[in-house]
Amino acid sequence: GAVVSQHPSRVICKSGTSVKIECRSLDFQATTMFWYRQFPKQSLMLMATSNEGSKATYEQGVEKDKFLINHASLTLSTLTVTSAHPEDSSFYICSAMGGRYNEQFFGPGTRLTVL
Amino acid sequence: AQKVTQAQTEISVVEKEDVTLDCVYETRDTTYYLFWYKQPPSGELVFLIRRNSFDEQNEISGRYSWNFQKSTSSFNFTITASQVVDSAVYFCALSEEYNTNAGKSTFGDGTTLTVKP
């Protein structure tokens, strides 16, 4: 089946630094990728929709200047958390649309801890 | 707007018991997809099933079965003869099928299932 990878799987950073998370579709092209955030013991909340070659569409309440999304190719989308703060600590999950039946495939997630 | 409700926050059963996880959804779309995912402690979502809104046939896959009823907007998930390895958080999700929102999923709050030996 189709595979989506995320890198890194875990990251710990100091407050004020920026962190980049990569999401790759390994065996298919994905014109659309999604970024979700999941706080402990909570559900997945959609942050933004990333379309290859165009600007991302952010959900209401998500700061686009804080969460920079770049979908530069059909297999790679990146999420950069700028000037991270402890409240940004969360589990970030990407998904990619593609495959034979245009299905959604989820990455394994990236656990971000901001000290 | 789409909404998915999983009323059961936590369920605890003893191994070999059957357990049903409820999912009720709201959407204005006539065409949509429903999903169930399993999220073990590792965090990675495990895809279990996708059901198109036009396909109301119930499905069985091993110990798992799903009951989709459009009349009650429900898509319930039953695990038969539960096992300790079934312990996880289970999410029900809904997405539109067409247009630019295809794949944009709305998740329920999840049900934490604990299966005790």
Side-chain angles (χ1 to χ4, degrees), chain B residues 21-80:
Chain B
L21 282 60
D22 297 333
C23 173
V24 175
Y25 63 92
E26 296 176 27
T27 180
R28 294 178 183 173
D29 299 315
T30 56
T31 306
Y32 50 88
Y33 282 112
L34 293 164
F35 305 81
W36 274 97
Y37 296 93
K38 174 182 180 180
Q39 188 177 44
S42 65
E44 183 167 359
L45 283 178
V46 177
F47 168 83
L48 297 178
I49 190 171
R50 178 175 81 161
R51 174 65 74 221
N52 182 286
S53 55
F54 292 112
D55 183 1
E56 287 193 72
Q57 275 196 337
N58 292 330
E59 181 157 337
I60 297 175
S61 176
R63 295 185 297 107
Y64 296 168
S65 62
W66 291 270
N67 184 353
F68 177 27
Q69 292 195 345
K70 288 182 76 171
S71 60
T72 56
S73 297
S74 65
F75 186 43
N76 296 337
F77 171 35
T78 298
I79 301 175
T80 304

Side-chain angles (χ1 to χ4, degrees), chain A residues 86-97:
Chain A
E87 57 265 31
D88 298 324
S89 298
S90 187
F91 192 52
Y92 292 87
I93 305 173
C94 74
S95 71
M97 293 289 294

Side-chain angles (χ1 to χ4, degrees), chain A residues 10-75:
Chain A
R10 290 178 180 270
V11 57
I12 300 173
C13 69
K14 292 182 178 180
S15 185
T17 60
S18 294
V19 176
K20 180 185 284 188
I21 303 170
E22 292 184 348
C23 176
R24 293 182 185 273
S25 55
L26 297 184
D27 51 0
F28 66 97
Q29 294 183 330
T31 54
T32 304
M33 292 184 172
F34 301 92
W35 287 96
Y36 294 82
R37 179 169 54 184
Q38 184 182 28
F39 291 109
K41 298 189 183 300
Q42 294 188 25
S43 186
L44 281 75
M45 298 300 295
L46 181 66
M47 298 174 67
T49 303
S50 170
N51 293 299
E52 187 266 337
S54 63
K55 292 183 178 181
T57 302
Y58 290 81
E59 295 300 301
Q60 192 172 6
V62 178
E63 301 175 58
K64 59 181 68 176
D65 292 333
K66 180 166 186 63
F67 298 100
L68 302 178
I69 293 173
N70 184 4
H71 194 153
S73 76
L74 287 173
T75 59

